[in-house]
Amino acid sequence: MDLLATTSAVAVTSYALLSAVYKSAQALYAQPANASSLDDDLAQSEIALPSVDVIVPCFNENPNTLSKCLESIASQDYAGKLRVYVVDDGSANRDVLRSVHNIYANDPRFSITLLPKNVGKRKAQIAAIRSSAGDLVLNVDSDTILATDVVTKLALKMREPEIGAAMGQLIASNRGETWLTKLIDMEYWLACNEERAAQARFGAVMCCCGPCAMYRRSALALLLDQYEAQFFRGKPSDFGEDRHLTILMLKAGFRTEYVPDAIAATVVPDGLGPYLRQQLRWARSTFRDTFLALSLLPELDGYLTLDVIGQNLGPLLLAVSSLAALTQLVIGGSVPWWTGLTIAAMTMVRCSVAAFRAREVRFLGFSLHTPINIFLLLPLKAYALCTLSNSDWLSRKVANVAEGESQAVTPHPNAGLSPSSTARISRTIRQPGVSRRPSSLAVTERVCASDRSTAYK
């Protein structure tokens, strides 16, 4: 029993020290740097906005969810050329999706491709990328809704030629549905405004997340063959496309960035089953591409090495301390007070800092994530590490559509309008002197009742 107690105490103390160093550095670097505002950038008349191709692959999506996604893209307040490529990846519910396709059939900005069979998200994306020609490519998940200024803000960030990719801030569109969606929404905030924000200080965001990520076409052209032909242990690798493409960008010498005020709302799992399946797939993807990213670390700032150590060694230490403490409790009957109190203290400090930084008391509730992490996610990650060759998506299914639901899909006010007409409408409703950020947040708050989808998630 002394060995178990010592092992647990040493592991949890090491975890606490590593976390304190890592999270302190992360909090320091995650602070927003001084930058010119969007209005100042737009005021510079010499800026020529690049053409943007928006790629939306979809598979078995709910028609109302897809309609909201495409509506948010059609309503973008972007003065440059915008083209939208919707790729239906052999959906089994294509008949009910036809009503959504018909809404945009006469919109010259939209191109809808119906693949004869399911080929996977990555190949569906690549098919659209190869058939388009814009300066920038924006990948958008079919269950994601963009604030009206997302394309503009990401395109302005991409003005620097050394930037290969940039992502926006993700929130959960269905945050209010269950306790789990509330928790995931906070998890997204932390992942974006702590992890990605700190990495972006050094131009090395390690994963430009799939729901909303923009890429430079000239950089994509160099990497597309590598991206398409990813293998792991001799088997094709399809999922984790966002992390893999980001790592390829970094290995090619491009910077990857995070734009916190480019807000995108995406549907998240509302039950433990779908959530754990999603986390299992993400864990496999993270392990695979972490090995690929190790060769990058000598070329990057020392903080990025600390980031990789903190994200991989930290969970290992936590798992060892928790397992030893649990064994000590079950076999020896003694309570591992030091381990329990240390984990509780670390949890409350992190949640309190997040609540302070976000100015929202709800982040204190993120403490519920700790038992989920210890008892569900850590064992799941161990299983993922032992089954890295498994490339099953685990969550693809036909969206549940009630009878007659497809008739409920209604066209948005801008459907079928030319870009110039849409721009005139946007200018008409814009109020002078009013900050654009509240309008972005208002858009994302309105979609909290969106249908849940697990396709491509």
Side-chain angles (χ1 to χ4, degrees), residues 20-96:
V21 173
Y22 170 45
K23 290 299 180 181
S24 296
Q26 187 179 77
L28 174 65
Y29 290 125
Q31 298 301 316
N34 293 328
S36 58
S37 67
L38 175 64
D39 292 330
D40 290 340
D41 290 335
L42 291 175
Q44 300 177 28
S45 57
E46 69 273 13
I47 294 178
L49 292 174
S51 56
V52 176
D53 293 330
V54 184
I55 310 296
V56 186
C58 63
F59 177 68
N60 293 343
E61 189 58 87
N62 184 293
N64 282 319
T65 302
L66 179 61
S67 179
K68 292 171 185 177
C69 170
L70 299 185
E71 176 183 348
S72 74
I73 297 171
S75 303
Q76 285 298 299
D77 186 9
Y78 185 63
K81 183 179 179 181
L82 187 71
R83 290 276 299 171
V84 185
Y85 295 81
V86 182
V87 184
D88 184 285
D89 187 17
S91 295
N93 64 337
R94 188 172 286 174
D95 287 344
V96 296

Side-chain angles (χ1 to χ4, degrees), residues 30 48 81 114 117 155 170 179 195 203 221 230 238 284 305-307 358 381:
K81 183 179 179 181
L114 305 178
K117 63 179 182 178
L170 301 181
W179 64 271
E195 180 184 319
Q230 182 188 5
D238 186 29
R284 287 172 178 153
T305 299
L306 175 63
D307 183 76
K381 289 178 181 178

Side-chain angles (χ1 to χ4, degrees), residues 372-395:
I372 293 176
N373 184 37
I374 292 174
F375 296 108
L376 294 177
L377 296 185
L378 288 179
L380 182 142
K381 289 178 181 178
Y383 176 72
L385 191 59
C386 296
T387 57
L388 283 182
S389 297
N390 190 321
S391 294
D392 292 340
W393 270 81
L394 302 172
S395 61

Side-chain angles (χ1 to χ4, degrees), residues 254-275:
F254 293 96
R255 285 168 49 198
T256 55
E257 295 285 352
Y258 168 59
V259 184
D261 53 355
I263 302 174
T266 190
V267 178
V268 301
D270 59 4
L272 271 178
Y275 175 66

Side-chain angles (χ1 to χ4, degrees), residues 122 207 230 232 237-244 247 278-292 384 388 390:
R122 187 177 308 201
C207 178
Q230 182 188 5
F232 186 80
S237 181
D238 186 29
F239 57 66
E241 76 291 333
D242 47 4
R243 182 176 295 273
H244 185 65
I247 297 300
Q278 179 195 68
Q279 293 298 307
L280 175 58
R281 193 174 63 256
W282 286 4
R284 287 172 178 153
S285 168
T286 299
F287 285 133
R288 291 180 184 186
D289 284 297
T290 295
F291 297 147
L292 182 64
L388 283 182
N390 190 321

Side-chain angles (χ1 to χ4, degrees), residues 20 29 70 124 137 154 160 192 199 210 244 247 284 301 322 331 337 364 401 412 424 427 429 444 448 456:
Y29 290 125
L70 299 185
V137 174
L154 289 176
E160 301 176 40
C192 289
Q199 293 170 350
H244 185 65
I247 297 300
R284 287 172 178 153
D301 187 271
S322 300
I331 297 179
W337 291 109
L364 295 177
V401 183
H412 64 83
R424 285 197 300 273
R427 285 194 294 270
I429 63 175
T444 53
C448 285
Y456 281 149

